[in-house]
Each structure stands twice: as structure tokens, then as C-alpha cells.
Amino acid sequence: CTPHICLEQQEKQGRERNCKLFKQSLLAEKRSCKQREAIMAAGVGPPMKLFDEFADAKTEGEAGAGASGVGGVVHIRIQQRNGRKTLTTVQGLSDDYDKKRIVRALKKEFACNGTVVDHSEYGEVIQLQGDQRNNVCHFLTAVGLAKEEQLKIHGF
């Protein structure tokens, strides 16, 4: 193969590996200190070992491979602010994930500002500046936080 094609394949493999590591680190950070100590004391290995947090949810027939809420749906909405300014909101991600780390990755990936807002009805909601609906959809599926059929895009 040509050097250009080999470099593209290496970059793609690197992105896939980074996505897997990012998802594993999100799940690992949500474990409590006692859970980590128990894992280390059992001699199983470091807390970053592969572990399916949603194995019991999959056996019950839920669609919850990363999403929570009604039917495991992640809602991606756009809100008009003033003039041409818009906000993108992401609601329905599982509480097992650290949303602040997800926002940090989204901000870095899309070069926009964002935050996590605690909504009284919907819980923690991710807000991003601009129309990032398609970008967020592709990011969540690429990283593996939600499946394509779990994402619902609202707006214009």
C-alpha cells in the first residue's frame, strides 16, 4: 500500500482506540474508591479492565447501551437565542458517564464552548454553543456512548 493510505489507516485505528479508552475511562471514574479497592484486593487487575456495565440491562431487553430515560433515547435539541445565535442541548445520557468529561471532549472536538446545566425536570443537560446537532450525533456513535437508533434530533 502507498504511504498515504497506510497513514490514513493508522490514524483511523488510533481514533478508534482513543474512543474506546475514553469510554472506559468515563465508566472507571464513576466507580467509588471502595469499589476500586475491592477490585485491587481481589487481584483482578487495575480498574481500567474491560467491564460491561450494561450487561444486565441488555439481558432484560432494554435499549440502554449508554442511554437512560424513556426507552433509552438521547434527545439532541437546538434552541434559538437571539439573532443567529443558537444552543445545542443533549439530554438523556446515562448517569454512569461523567458529563463534564464528555463536555470537555465535545468542546475540544468542535471548537465551541459548552457546559453541564442541572435542569429541574431533565436532570443534567449538556449545552453547547452553536448548531452542533449532527456533530454530537456522530461523536456519540463514534465513541460508543449511544447507538444510532437511540439518538433523536429535534429542531428546525
Side-chain angles (χ1 to χ4, degrees), residues 106-131:
L106 290 170
K107 287 166 58 173
K108 195 172 193 177
E109 182 76 20
F110 307 141
C112 67
N113 199 6
T115 187
V116 177
V117 177
D118 194 23
H119 193 273
S120 59
E121 185 178 346
Y122 302 121
E124 289 185 328
V125 176
I126 295 174
Q127 285 186 347
L128 298 170
Q129 283 184 350
D131 186 2

Side-chain angles (χ1 to χ4, degrees), residues 15-16 18-24 26 105 137-146:
R15 283 193 302 267
E16 290 171 356
N18 288 341
C19 289
K20 288 179 184 176
L21 292 174
F22 179 72
K23 184 176 179 184
Q24 290 172 5
L26 285 175
C137 184
H138 293 303
F139 179 83
L140 293 176
T141 54
V143 173
L145 296 177

